[in-house]
């Protein structure tokens, strides 16, 4: 039996981007989160300039009361939105988060949370993504908005 988290990511990522991260020894499923993403257990399962989907375990990302830490949710949101912005920006460009807003609606205490970043604005110098984070039952945990500045390398 194959777990959904074992499925190959559906990445619509230019080969030169994958090659760049491969040279750095970074797994494409975690390329966006760097070392923090690895520590948080973020996995990218779908990525394009229009939509990015990723998961993160609650276990290991909890605050002292056993609830998913709001900062972990924010890190997941910024990771997903940044990947979308980077893919929208295209080769030879990169994205830098300049504004992140997070509203926490309810807690999660176990399982995986899933974030879906959807492009709200894709311009030449900026991109904004709306990110919905839900628990295993589909209940919304956190709503976020991320704006990234797009720069030339």
């Amino acid at each position: 039996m194959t777990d959904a988290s074992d499925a190959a990511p559906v990445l619509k990522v230019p080969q030169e981007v994958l090659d760049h991260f491969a040279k750095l020894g970074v797994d494409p499923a975690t390329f966006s989160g760097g070392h923090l993403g690895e520590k948080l257990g973020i996995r990218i399962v779908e990525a394009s300039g229009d939509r990015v989907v990723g998961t993160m375990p609650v276990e290991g990302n909890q605050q002292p009361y056993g609830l998913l830490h709001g900062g972990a949710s924010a890190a997941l949101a910024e990771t997903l939105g940044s990947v979308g912005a980077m893919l929208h920006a295209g080769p030879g460009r990169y994205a830098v988060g300049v504004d992140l807003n997070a509203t926490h609606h309810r807690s999660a205490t176990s399982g995986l949370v899933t974030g879906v970043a959807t492009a709200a604005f894709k311009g030449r110098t900026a991109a904004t993504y709306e990110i919905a984070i839900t628990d295993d039952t589909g209940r919304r945990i956190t709503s976020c908005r991320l704006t990234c500045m797009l720069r030339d390398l």
Side-chain angles (χ1 to χ4, degrees):
M1 181 174 176
T2 303
D3 185 281
S5 64
D6 294 334
V10 180
L11 304 174
K12 295 178 184 174
V13 179
Q15 190 60 47
E16 62 268 17
V17 173
L18 294 175
D19 292 345
H20 171 75
F21 284 102
K23 287 178 187 173
L24 300 174
V26 178
D27 178 352
T30 61
F31 73 89
S32 60
H35 295 299
L36 178 62
E38 289 176 23
K39 288 178 183 178
L40 295 174
I42 295 172
R43 304 299 294 175
I44 304 297
V45 297
E46 177 186 330
S48 72
D50 293 319
R51 176 180 149 100
V52 180
V53 180
T55 62
M56 181 179 69
V58 172
E59 180 70 33
N61 294 315
Q62 297 154 304
Q63 42 95 314
Y65 300 111
L67 308 174
L68 177 63
H69 195 290
S73 294
L76 173 62
E78 184 153 354
T79 296
L80 301 178
S82 293
V83 169
M86 180 262 305
L87 293 173
H88 162 66
R93 304 191 78 208
Y94 65 100
V96 178
V98 295
D99 181 64
L100 175 66
N101 170 279
T103 300
H104 305 292
H105 305 293
R106 61 174 34 101
S107 61
T109 57
S110 64
L112 283 178
V113 292
T114 300
V116 178
T118 305
F121 172 78
K122 297 189 311 181
R124 188 180 59 77
T125 60
T128 299
Y129 286 77
E130 295 172 346
I131 304 100
I133 300 174
T134 58
D135 65 13
D136 284 335
T137 67
R139 295 182 317 159
R140 189 173 290 228
I141 301 298
T142 303
S143 296
C144 297
R145 186 186 67 246
L146 173 71
T147 297
C148 291
M149 179 173 53
L150 307 178
R151 305 289 307 256
D152 294 330
L153 286 174

